[in-house]
Amino acid sequence: MQGFALKTARPPFDDPDAAMAVKLLVDRERLVEVVCSGRAELGNDLYGKGYTYYPDGLEQRERDVAEARRLLRRTGLYNKKVSFYTSTAADGFAQAAHLFSEQAGEAGLKVEITNGPPESYFTDALSMGTVTNHRCGAMTIPTYISERLLSGAPQNATAWQHADFDDAFTAARAVVDDETRTRRYRSVQTTLRERGGLVLWGHPEWLNAVSRTLQGVREAPPNTVDWARFDTVWLD
């Protein structure tokens, strides 16, 4: 998943209408075309497309510059500036930030881009910038929410802190009946999509390459200490 994280614990994105303006001004198709070379599915501002508990059937959010501009005016953001903290920490981050700046300008939002060191970006981005790059690999939707969206979560990039959201998620996770749990998870995620600070514009393909001259590759479960150990491989 690729996207942007808006800090919702402070102005201007403590106002859900300001966050919605950004969700509407983003050109998802253009971001996928440029940043991912077309090799991605469009995002719909929710993590986990295709995973268990993903709320299927939601209408794809489309770009609406006129409505974005109206919301920017209503929230006092029109022709105002926000800071975007980016880095070369991951492929496409800086490119996506500059493309976002262009798209925001078309709606009347000015963006000041600052580049941070890649070594500490994912930690620094938790406190720096009004907008930052956001990405995530594979994990279950409940794990993503608990680690990135609950109050006090260690990787809460949007600074989303709402006790009622925490309580609703905890209640959903405790339900035994799968149909009821699925319905409650959908409600939690719908709230997040409408009022939260995640602008998730794409789900890139998982790309792999193979060469007969590459030696030393070992099988290992993803996200373990033995996975992707490129320091142990060599070319014949």
Side-chain angles (χ1 to χ4, degrees):
M1 171 270 292
Q2 287 268 19
F4 308 126
L6 316 177
K7 295 288 193 303
T8 61
R10 58 176 184 255
F13 298 124
D14 55 343
D15 185 338
D17 280 351
M20 181 59 71
V22 174
K23 295 170 189 176
L24 293 175
L25 66 81
V26 165
D27 187 337
R28 300 159 199 271
E29 293 183 356
R30 182 63 177 161
L31 282 159
V32 164
E33 177 186 351
V34 174
V35 179
C36 302
S37 300
R39 294 182 177 274
E41 293 187 35
L42 293 181
N44 206 13
D45 299 333
L46 282 179
Y47 170 79
K49 187 175 184 179
Y51 288 6
T52 302
Y53 304 126
Y54 186 86
D56 293 321
L58 293 176
E59 185 176 353
Q60 174 63 50
R61 182 161 280 151
E62 303 286 348
R63 191 181 198 209
D64 189 338
V65 175
E67 178 62 10
R69 191 178 292 120
R70 185 188 73 81
L71 290 173
L72 290 174
R73 285 197 174 101
R74 197 205 70 74
T75 57
L77 262 182
Y78 189 72
N79 278 334
K80 297 295 178 61
K81 183 185 295 183
V82 296
S83 60
F84 195 127
Y85 185 68
T86 189
S87 172
T88 57
D91 288 342
F93 269 18
Q95 189 177 29
H98 285 277
L99 198 54
F100 171 81
S101 177
E102 295 175 9
Q103 295 172 3
E106 295 172 7
L109 178 64
K110 299 177 181 179
V111 179
E112 181 179 57
I113 295 177
T114 302
N115 292 286
E119 298 81 7
S120 58
Y121 178 75
F122 292 101
T123 299
D124 297 341
L126 294 174
S127 58
M128 299 187 67
T130 308
V131 186
T132 60
N133 295 101
H134 187 59
R135 68 176 295 179
C136 182
M139 64 178 66
T140 67
I141 287 174
T143 299
Y144 177 83
I145 292 174
S146 64
E147 293 186 359
R148 288 166 169 77
L149 291 163
L150 298 186
S151 300
Q155 300 178 54
N156 193 340
T158 61
W160 174 253
Q161 300 174 18
H162 294 271
D164 55 346
F165 179 88
D166 299 347
D167 293 343
F169 172 74
T170 300
R173 186 167 51 181
V175 172
V176 175
D177 179 71
D178 188 62
E179 183 176 342
T180 304
R181 185 169 61 247
T182 299
R183 185 167 60 252
R184 291 197 178 188
Y185 274 140
R186 181 187 178 96
S187 176
V188 166
Q189 293 176 88
T190 301
T191 297
L192 181 68
R193 182 172 178 266
E194 295 304 313
R195 302 186 62 82
L198 289 173
V199 187
L200 306 183
W201 52 261
H203 300 276
E205 295 177 2
W206 186 274
L207 304 179
N208 296 279
V210 177
S211 171
R212 289 191 178 94
T213 63
L214 184 65
Q215 305 296 325
V217 178
R218 299 192 302 269
E219 293 184 3
N223 298 322
T224 66
V225 294
D226 292 321
W227 181 61
R229 287 295 302 275
F230 300 119
D231 60 317
T232 66
V233 304
W234 67 92
L235 293 173
D236 277 347

